[in-house]
């Protein structure tokens, strides 16, 4: 299974901040936004990950994440010269995907929930077709929404409906088979001049090959691409971390718990993190795991 993080685009909803820095490098509480989608892929057990960036800010991502080896993963960087719709990600990563299944996650999406690893494992186990994740929202007009038939099966996806036909928003986390690159390349641009992820999902619905997994009450999902949602997601993460004493989306901890790195690797990660709250947390993990208390 290959992982893809779409971190390109212009981030216009967060202007003027994004005139100088990529949206996915902005902080969500105490860590860069991209740590959150990266952590989701790592929780799924995916170790080969491609990050799609704009040409002008790719070096910043490389400086932050490197080649991923510190976390026991492999990161490939792919330039997106011009954003032409979400399905373009599968065209750009055709060679990277090869004959494998893949997971795409949007670089501004944040997911949290106790059962998230199990939910991801179900999607990972699927042998064919696609899996999307949905979330009930009060503002369906802001998203693509899933329409189900009388049996509860996926029937259609409608992009930002003016008259709500469903309150089940499609989140920015998807699992697809290797055929997705060809299917994405065959899509025709919409009136916006871009290919649409809703058209790709409809193609899978037409094949009878789509699983739609709804994230229920135990989950939180944020699209952190606006000033309001960026603040809300930061406040949410701060509340969770201060109340539980755990850090959300910590690649170092995930890498150790998944067996991607050993204790010495975790210690090497901690050495470069300084004495802020995040660095102190990873240092504490080293002590706990070293004594056997954190296993």
């Amino acid at each position: 299974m290959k992982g893809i993080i779409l971190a390109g685009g212009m981030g216009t909803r967060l202007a003027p901040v994004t005139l100088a820095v990529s949206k996915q490098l902005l902080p969500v509480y105490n860590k860069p936004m991209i740590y959150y989608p990266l952590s989701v892929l790592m929780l799924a057990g995916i170790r080969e990950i491609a990050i799609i960036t704009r040409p002008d800010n790719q070096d910043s991502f490389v400086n932050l994440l490197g080649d991923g080896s510190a976390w026991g993963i492999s990161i490939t960087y792919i330039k997106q010269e011009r954003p032409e719709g979400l399905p373009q990600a599968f065209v750009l990563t055709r060679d990277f995907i090869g004959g494998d299944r893949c997971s795409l996650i949007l670089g501004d999406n944040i997911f949290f929930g106790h059962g998230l690893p199990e939910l991801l494992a179900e999607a990972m186990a699927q042998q064919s077709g696609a899996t999307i994740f949905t979330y009930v929202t009060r503002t369906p007009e802001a998203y693509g929404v899933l329409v189900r038939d009388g049996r509860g099966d996926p029937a259609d996806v409608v992009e930002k409906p003016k008259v709500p036909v469903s309150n089940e928003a499609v989140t920015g986390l998807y699992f697809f088979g290797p055929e997705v690159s060809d299917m994405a390349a065959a899509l025709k641009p919409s009136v916006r001049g871009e290919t649409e992820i809703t058209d790709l999902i409809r193609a899978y619905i037409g094949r009878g090959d789509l699983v739609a997994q709804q994230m229920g009450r135990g989950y939180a999902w944020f699209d952190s691409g606006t000033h309001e949602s960026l603040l809300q997601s930061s406040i949410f993460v701060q509340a969770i971390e201060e109340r539980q004493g755990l850090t959300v989306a910590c690649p170092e901890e995930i890498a150790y718990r998944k067996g991607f790195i050993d204790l010495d690797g975790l210690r090497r990660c901690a050495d470069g993190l300084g004495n802020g709250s995040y660095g102190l947390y990873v240092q504490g993990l080293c002590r706990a795991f070293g004594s056997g208390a954190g296993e």
Side-chain angles (χ1 to χ4, degrees), residues 46-103:
I46 297 173
R47 301 180 69 172
E48 294 181 73
I49 297 170
I51 300 179
I52 299 173
T53 74
R54 297 201 323 252
D56 62 324
N57 58 36
Q58 188 171 99
D59 288 347
S60 297
F61 285 94
V62 175
N63 290 338
L64 174 66
L65 305 172
D67 62 2
S69 58
W71 298 327
I73 62 177
S74 172
I75 298 178
T76 299
Y77 296 92
I78 296 175
K79 293 179 180 179
Q80 182 187 44
E81 298 293 339
R82 187 177 69 175
E84 297 178 344
L86 298 189
Q88 184 191 24
F90 302 110
V91 179
L92 294 173
T93 57
R94 182 192 296 271
D95 292 340
F96 172 77
I97 294 171
D100 295 326
R101 290 183 59 76
C102 63
S103 175

Side-chain angles (χ1 to χ4, degrees), residues 22-277:
S22 170
K23 169 176 63 176
Q24 292 83 11
L25 296 174
L26 295 175
V28 175
Y29 184 43
N30 57 359
K31 62 191 76 70
M33 184 187 295
I34 198 168
Y35 272 35
Y36 294 87
L38 178 65
S39 293
V40 170
L41 297 180
M42 292 176 67
L43 281 172
I46 297 173
R47 301 180 69 172
E48 294 181 73
I49 297 170
I51 300 179
I52 299 173
T53 74
R54 297 201 323 252
D56 62 324
N57 58 36
Q58 188 171 99
D59 288 347
S60 297
F61 285 94
V62 175
N63 290 338
L64 174 66
L65 305 172
D67 62 2
S69 58
W71 298 327
I73 62 177
S74 172
I75 298 178
T76 299
Y77 296 92
I78 296 175
K79 293 179 180 179
Q80 182 187 44
E81 298 293 339
R82 187 177 69 175
E84 297 178 344
L86 298 189
Q88 184 191 24
F90 302 110
V91 179
L92 294 173
T93 57
R94 182 192 296 271
D95 292 340
F96 172 77
I97 294 171
D100 295 326
R101 290 183 59 76
C102 63
S103 175
L104 170 70
I105 185 168
L106 304 188
D108 60 3
N109 270 220
I110 295 172
F111 296 89
F112 180 82
H114 178 70
L116 183 58
E118 291 75 18
L119 209 60
L120 296 171
E122 290 183 25
M124 290 281 288
Q126 189 175 342
Q127 296 300 309
S128 64
T131 296
I132 63 172
F133 295 88
T134 65
Y135 195 89
V136 173
T137 176
R138 293 176 59 187
T139 57
E141 65 278 2
Y143 306 100
V145 297
L146 178 70
V147 179
R148 296 181 184 266
D149 62 22
R151 297 172 298 182
D153 296 325
D156 195 11
V157 178
V158 181
E159 181 67 20
K160 297 179 180 178
K162 293 181 180 179
V163 179
V165 292
S166 164
N167 65 349
E168 198 171 349
V170 178
T171 72
L173 175 60
Y174 319 86
F175 286 77
F176 294 102
E179 71 285 341
V180 69
S181 292
D182 289 336
M183 293 176 66
L187 294 175
K188 295 181 179 180
S190 68
V191 294
R192 298 195 305 158
E194 299 181 354
T195 55
E196 305 289 349
I197 191 69
T198 49
D199 289 335
L200 183 60
I201 294 171
R202 283 195 196 100
Y204 276 94
I205 292 174
R207 291 159 56 116
D209 217 2
L210 179 77
V211 174
Q213 181 69 257
Q214 185 181 115
M215 293 179 163
R217 290 189 175 189
Y219 296 92
W221 167 58
F222 295 91
D223 166 6
S224 299
T226 68
H227 298 290
E228 295 80 9
S229 60
L230 181 61
L231 176 61
Q232 290 166 0
S233 57
S234 293
I235 292 172
F236 175 83
V237 171
Q238 179 191 28
I240 292 294
E241 294 192 0
E242 289 189 353
R243 283 162 173 74
Q244 296 188 347
L246 303 173
T247 291
V248 178
C250 178
E252 294 84 2
E253 180 174 10
I254 296 169
Y256 179 81
R257 290 188 181 276
K258 299 291 286 187
F260 298 171
I261 60 174
D262 59 15
L263 185 58
D264 285 338
L266 183 64
R267 287 171 174 150
R268 285 193 292 271
C269 289
D271 287 342
L273 292 175
N275 292 317
S277 61

